[in-house]
Amino acid sequence: MNEIKQVLVDQKARLERKFEKEKIIERDIPDLKKYLSHPNVLAILGVRRSGKSTLAEMLLRGENFGYVNFDDDRLAGIKVDDLYKLEKIIYELFGEVEYFLFDEIHNVKGWELFVSRLREEGEKIIITGSNSKMLSGELATALTGRHVNFTLFPFSFSEYLRFKGVKIEKVKDTFTTSSEGVIKRELGNYMREGGFPEVLKISDDLIFSIFSDIVYKDVVQRLKIKRIELFKVFTVNIIKYYSNEVSLSKLSKTLKLSNNTVEEWFNGLINAYVVITSERFTNRPREGMTSPKKVYVIDPSFITSIALDSSKGRIMENLVALQLSRMGEKLFYLKGNNYEIDFLTRDKAIQVTYASGKDEIPKREIEGLNKIKTKEKIVITWDYEDKLGEIKFIPIWKFLLTI
């Protein structure tokens, strides 16, 4: 009991030091605290080290709340029965708290019923987690309509600029010439460094430890994978497919693995937010289910540092996929006869091409858009802006900052 008390005191003190010493920026997110105006559970999900804990702490600044980080190695092996003891310790240390914040509570088997009981007793709770499946079990059943999920990504480009202290000058929707120059330079840095907060605060070298942590803690341990080195090879191969369709059957043959194993490993990477996928748009459901998915990586730093790739056109497409996902769009791509649309959303068709002038834009990008009907038709370029008929041409930096 005294050991757990010491852990919670240490964790709260570390929390306070973070806000005193580290650079904390506001995130471009909706008002999440409104979901806690009544007894409720707010689940902040996303890839490990994307800033979920910091965001949760920012929401509760100035409030009296109980805090437990279950990723602390001193709490390894804690059982669900211990959670009730832990609740008593929180009240003993912090008094009548108004909120509970539980980091990575899914590390405790059976945690769902504990959180459900707290909510039924009128408590307001924030939980964080680095696996998208953590709410698919008993908690989802017990709290139907009484919990809200929010997925947090690493820094967007606008958040990256804010962290770097870059001030953008514009009049209405027009950026000044000097701001444009700075933005374009920083975009190149962002495409290489990515948006993991710790990497930007400390060193690019942290990318490798973050990647290893995600692979081991959020996939290998969860799926109980024994062929760890082979799984790492598989993961790097998946990342190398970014902005392309991935054939799991081909990968299974190349790595001499069963189709079931490859599918399980691939889904493990999706659930841990290492990659996101885009489905082929079709009016035939069976075709959509069996068609290859396109793969996008959660942060460009994994592309440049882990896959050792710096293809600007493909990284641009990856950034667009992340931006659309941040906006809550489900990703689809379209393949027709002799044409392909990179992204189809509810009201947009979007092509992405690395072009700085009209003459550099491949004809197939335009022809594809002319063959479909949608509210908006957009070609995202590197540095070309115009409008020709129904089609808007938008530079990637402007798309990332204004859409």
Side-chain angles (χ1 to χ4, degrees):
M1 188 76 80
N2 287 333
E3 291 180 0
I4 294 180
K5 281 185 181 180
Q6 188 62 55
V7 171
L8 297 197
V9 169
D10 290 348
Q11 288 182 353
K12 199 70 180 284
R14 192 179 305 123
L15 194 66
E16 295 300 323
R17 288 197 300 272
K18 176 190 290 188
F19 278 84
E20 289 174 4
K21 297 182 178 180
E22 294 187 14
K23 185 174 183 178
I24 308 294
I25 68 160
E26 294 293 327
R27 303 296 298 263
D28 296 329
I29 60 168
D31 177 15
L32 297 178
K33 200 170 181 180
K34 68 181 180 182
Y35 297 117
L36 296 171
S37 57
H38 300 287
N40 206 349
V41 177
L42 170 63
I44 302 176
L45 308 175
V47 69
R48 185 176 292 269
R49 316 279 269 280
S50 58
K52 300 185 298 295
S53 304
T54 301
L55 173 59
E57 293 151 15
M58 288 172 68
L59 294 175
L60 299 182
R61 290 299 284 172
E63 306 285 1
N64 186 27
F65 64 95
Y67 172 68
V68 187
N69 179 3
F70 291 93
D71 229 13
D72 193 312
D73 60 344
R74 293 171 295 177
L75 296 180
I78 194 169
K79 302 281 192 286
V80 67
D81 291 342
D82 298 321
L83 295 178
Y84 301 97
K85 300 174 187 175
L86 189 143
E87 180 188 357
K88 292 180 180 179
I89 294 173
I90 289 174
Y91 287 128
E92 183 180 333
L93 290 175
F94 308 116
E96 288 296 321
V97 297
E98 190 173 352
Y99 301 88
F100 286 91
L101 169 52
F102 298 131
D103 265 341
E104 306 290 346
I105 193 173
H106 60 85
N107 289 339
V108 182
K109 190 174 181 179
W111 64 273
E112 299 96 337
L113 293 179
F114 170 72
V115 169
S116 179
R117 178 184 63 80
L118 285 179
R119 200 215 65 82
E120 290 295 332
E121 292 175 356
E123 304 294 353
K124 303 169 184 176
I125 306 154
I126 299 179
I127 59 177
T128 74
S130 50
N131 193 282
S132 64
K133 293 298 182 184
M134 67 177 288
L135 295 179
S136 61
E138 293 182 21
L139 183 64
T141 302
L143 296 180
T144 301
R146 296 174 182 173
H147 74 277
V148 176
N149 300 348
F150 177 76
T151 301
L152 184 70
F153 291 73
F155 285 161
S156 65
F157 183 47
S158 63
E159 291 167 340
Y160 173 90
L161 292 177
R162 192 176 306 137
F163 180 84
K164 291 283 189 175
V166 176
K167 294 182 179 179
I168 300 172
E169 298 176 348
K170 62 178 181 177
V171 179
K172 294 185 178 180
D173 294 329
T174 304
F175 294 81
T176 65
T177 302
S178 59
S179 286
E180 269 194 43
V182 172
I183 291 168
K184 291 172 188 177
R185 184 184 70 240
E186 290 296 342
L187 177 59
N189 294 332
Y190 177 66
M191 291 171 76
R192 176 177 51 83
E193 296 176 332
F196 282 107
E198 285 178 277
V199 170
L200 302 178
K201 290 174 184 175
I202 303 172
S203 168
D204 290 358
D205 294 337
L206 276 179
I207 293 168
F208 301 99
S209 64
I210 290 173
F211 178 73
S212 295
D213 271 0
I214 295 168
V215 167
Y216 185 70
K217 293 182 179 179
D218 297 323
V219 189
V220 170
Q221 285 187 337
R222 180 169 286 271
L223 297 182
K224 297 180 173 59
I225 295 172
K226 295 180 180 179
R227 290 171 285 184
I228 297 175
E229 291 305 315
L230 185 57
F231 176 70
K232 288 180 180 177
V233 172
F234 169 82
T235 301
V236 172
N237 270 278
I238 291 295
I239 291 174
K240 287 181 177 180
Y241 273 103
Y242 79 98
S243 299
N244 279 306
E245 292 173 310
V246 60
S247 171
L248 298 184
S249 60
K250 288 182 180 178
L251 267 180
S252 67
K253 292 176 182 177
T254 301
L255 299 176
K256 297 180 181 179
L257 292 165
S258 70
N259 289 333
N260 287 342
T261 297
V262 167
E263 188 172 344
E264 181 185 43
W265 288 5
F266 184 62
N267 287 332
L269 293 176
I270 294 173
N271 294 338
Y273 300 98
V274 177
V275 296
I276 59 177
T277 60
S278 177
E279 297 180 10
R280 184 171 178 175
F281 181 83
T282 175
N283 293 320
R284 291 171 285 187
R286 186 175 180 182
E287 181 182 342
M289 292 174 62
T290 57
S291 295
K293 290 180 171 59
K294 291 185 76 171
V295 173
Y296 299 100
V297 182
I298 197 66
D299 190 74
S301 65
F302 285 173
I303 295 171
T304 54
S305 296
I306 305 300
L308 300 178
D309 194 318
S310 57
S311 306
K312 280 192 174 179
R314 290 174 63 197
I315 294 177
M316 284 170 59
E317 183 176 334
N318 199 96
L319 292 181
V320 171
L322 295 178
Q323 189 73 355
L324 292 173
S325 296
R326 285 188 183 95
M327 295 161 58
E329 297 283 4
K330 183 171 174 57
L331 302 182
F332 291 97
Y333 70 97
L334 176 65
K335 268 197 168 181
N337 294 323
N338 302 318
Y339 73 94
E340 180 175 336
I341 304 295
D342 293 328
F343 299 103
L344 276 182
T345 70
R346 287 166 290 187
D347 56 3
K348 295 181 180 69
I350 300 173
Q351 302 282 50
V352 184
T353 181
Y354 180 59
S356 296
K358 180 181 176 182
D359 295 339
E360 297 177 19
I361 299 171
K363 290 183 179 179
R364 66 177 182 274
E365 309 287 9
I366 309 300
E367 291 170 353
L369 290 175
N370 285 333
K371 290 180 180 179
I372 64 171
K373 292 183 179 180
T374 186
K375 186 176 180 181
E376 283 191 83
K377 299 180 180 182
I378 299 172
V379 177
I380 296 175
T381 68
W382 179 250
D383 196 24
Y384 173 68
E385 186 170 11
D386 202 350
K387 184 175 182 181
L388 300 175
E390 294 183 298
I391 302 174
K392 296 179 184 176
F393 298 84
I394 305 174
I396 178 73
W397 61 269
K398 184 169 284 190
F399 175 84
L400 294 177
L401 294 178
T402 59
I403 299 297

